[in-house]
Amino acid sequence: MHASADPIEAISQRLARFVTAQRLAWADAGPEAQVFLDAATRTLAGGKRLRARFCVTGWRAVANAGGDAKAIPDAVLDAAAALEVFHAAALVHDDIIDNSDTRRGQPAAHRALEAAHAGSGWVGDGSAFGRSAAILLGDLLVAWSDDLLEQGLARAPHAASAREVYALMRREVTIGQFLDIAEEAAFTTAPDEEHAERALRVASLKSARYSIQHPLLLGAALAGADATQSAALAAFGHPLGLAFQLRDDVLGVFGDTAVTGKPSGDDLREGKRTLLIAYTREALAPDDRAALDALIGDPALTAEQIAQIQQSIIDTDALARVESAISAYAGEAEHALQSARLSSSALDQLRELADASISRTA
């Protein structure tokens, strides 16, 4: 049990103990395995622990609904830690898919493994090694997330419900990730007026449900949430998750590299067909729209071209429309809490998390 108002330190300690145990278990596997485990360890350092926070707060919202504050069970901390490991796996795979060189201001996992290949004096194509090793690294982290979750569920009275939430999250984010990369190629087959709806579909499956809604529901399930409580948290979590992803989209185009840890305009080079791009295209003449399409997804975009696209997004009011959508989704999330039968202190925490998710700069 953990009684602290902020359990993130406890979750970080749980992750550290788990990684230490894994490293000890593979201590005899040779120095090459240690390179792999070093990479896994690095992926779990830092980050906002957003999903863990929503998981714990989802548990508190139900467990403390009667007014008595309860200590957080180890099962909930394990589930929250499992979410962070799964998120690390998703980021590793995401950076491979997007050909991203950096993550949080440091080399992306596949680049770090490429550097390890060179530093070890190994033969062969270092870039190919880094990508292949990072695919396996993401797979290892998914397995670790399952291990942590199952360790927690072994002590949980509502394991079946929690396991169902977690499994659905995994399926949805995988489909959402595929739709994200498919949209970069398939957008030309859809009518222009459908692009915004398609972008929101990707945002929902890839990020909104996985980042906020499902972590909330996982924590709530471990507290024994009834259908009404789960529905209230889902009605809060999904629109907030959309607002969170739309903020991410804005940062992916306009973010400060020194703050985000990724190059400014990186989403443009990666070809992300976000709501920003859909709204921009809607306001452009056919020739200008074609010119924009020719630029989006070019990994060699110059700083001047990035600035040109940014200005087009502003001039077409696409940025203003997305900011308006963020505010609208935030309002929808707040409305879902108005009559929710949940812990009042947890509701305050949810509102704080909501504000941090939407107003963030990284």
Side-chain angles (χ1 to χ4, degrees), residues 239 242-244 246-248 250 321-331 358:
L242 286 172
F244 170 83
L246 294 183
R247 174 59 63 212
D248 201 60
V250 171
R321 291 179 68 187
V322 169
E323 290 290 351
S324 179
I326 290 172
S327 296
Y329 283 128
I358 295 169

Side-chain angles (χ1 to χ4, degrees), residues 108-123:
H110 61 286
R111 293 304 186 195
L113 287 161
E114 177 183 348
H117 176 280
S120 300
W122 297 343
V123 300

Side-chain angles (χ1 to χ4, degrees), residues 31-41 113 133-134 136-138 140:
E32 295 79 16
Q34 298 312 307
V35 170
F36 194 45
L37 293 170
D38 286 345
T41 303
L113 287 161
L136 296 172
L137 174 61
L140 175 67

Side-chain angles (χ1 to χ4, degrees), residues 20 27 35 79 167 215 229 249 276 285 306-308 353:
T20 297
V35 170
Q229 291 170 317
D249 293 344
L276 273 175
I306 293 290
Q308 174 188 339
L353 283 171

Side-chain angles (χ1 to χ4, degrees), residues 7-314:
I8 298 306
E9 180 59 31
I11 292 169
S12 296
Q13 291 174 1
R14 178 69 183 98
L15 285 170
R17 291 196 303 273
F18 177 84
V19 171
T20 297
Q22 291 295 318
R23 299 192 70 128
L24 286 173
W26 295 99
D28 296 332
E32 295 79 16
Q34 298 312 307
V35 170
F36 194 45
L37 293 170
D38 286 345
T41 303
R42 284 194 299 269
T43 68
L44 299 176
K48 295 178 284 293
R49 305 291 191 220
L50 178 75
R51 290 151 191 84
R53 291 179 184 276
F54 274 110
C55 179
V56 171
T57 309
W59 176 85
R60 281 176 169 154
V62 175
N64 299 337
D68 295 329
K70 299 177 182 177
I72 304 168
D74 289 341
V76 175
L77 297 177
D78 281 356
L83 286 169
E84 291 299 314
V85 179
F86 183 78
H87 180 52
L91 294 181
V92 169
H93 284 159
D94 200 44
D95 286 342
I96 298 170
I97 292 168
D98 293 338
N99 294 308
S100 296
D101 292 328
T102 59
R103 169 67 60 181
R104 296 170 182 163
Q106 300 296 321
H110 61 286
R111 293 304 186 195
L113 287 161
E114 177 183 348
H117 176 280
S120 300
W122 297 343
V123 300
D125 185 336
S127 176
F129 171 86
R131 294 178 69 86
S132 298
I135 291 171
L136 296 172
L137 174 61
D139 292 345
L140 175 67
L141 291 166
V142 169
W144 279 7
S145 74
D146 284 348
D147 291 340
L148 264 170
L149 180 72
E150 291 303 324
Q151 288 176 24
L153 295 187
R155 304 187 295 274
H158 304 287
S161 296
R163 191 176 285 113
E164 183 178 344
V165 171
Y166 200 81
L168 177 61
M169 177 197 73
R170 286 185 51 177
R171 293 193 298 272
E172 286 189 345
V173 74
T174 303
I175 295 294
Q177 182 68 276
F178 172 77
L179 291 176
D180 187 30
I181 62 172
E183 193 64 15
E184 296 171 19
F187 76 93
T188 57
T189 66
D192 292 334
E193 62 270 18
E194 293 182 8
H195 284 205
E197 179 183 352
R198 291 164 70 94
L200 285 172
R201 180 180 66 184
V202 171
S204 172
L205 288 170
K206 182 189 174 184
S207 182
R209 304 184 197 194
Y210 145 69
S211 296
I212 296 177
Q213 185 181 34
H214 287 314
L216 278 172
L217 293 176
L218 177 61
L222 288 167
D226 60 30
T228 301
Q229 291 170 317
S230 293
L233 288 170
F236 167 80
H238 189 252
L240 179 60
L242 286 172
F244 170 83
Q245 180 55 43
L246 294 183
R247 174 59 63 212
D248 201 60
D249 293 344
V250 171
L251 292 173
V253 174
F254 294 96
D256 182 348
T257 300
V259 179
T260 65
K262 295 178 74 70
S264 179
D266 220 28
D267 278 5
L268 301 176
R269 294 187 179 93
E270 292 168 5
K272 298 297 183 185
R273 291 283 160 174
T274 64
L275 193 63
L276 273 175
I277 300 304
Y279 282 165
T280 302
R281 294 179 82 260
E282 286 180 9
L284 292 175
D287 288 348
D288 292 332
R289 188 181 304 146
L292 176 67
D293 287 339
L295 290 173
I296 301 297
D298 181 354
L301 282 178
T302 65
E304 290 75 19
Q305 288 172 316
I306 293 290
Q308 174 188 339
I309 298 171
Q310 289 171 332
Q311 193 60 50
S312 182
I313 291 171
I314 294 169

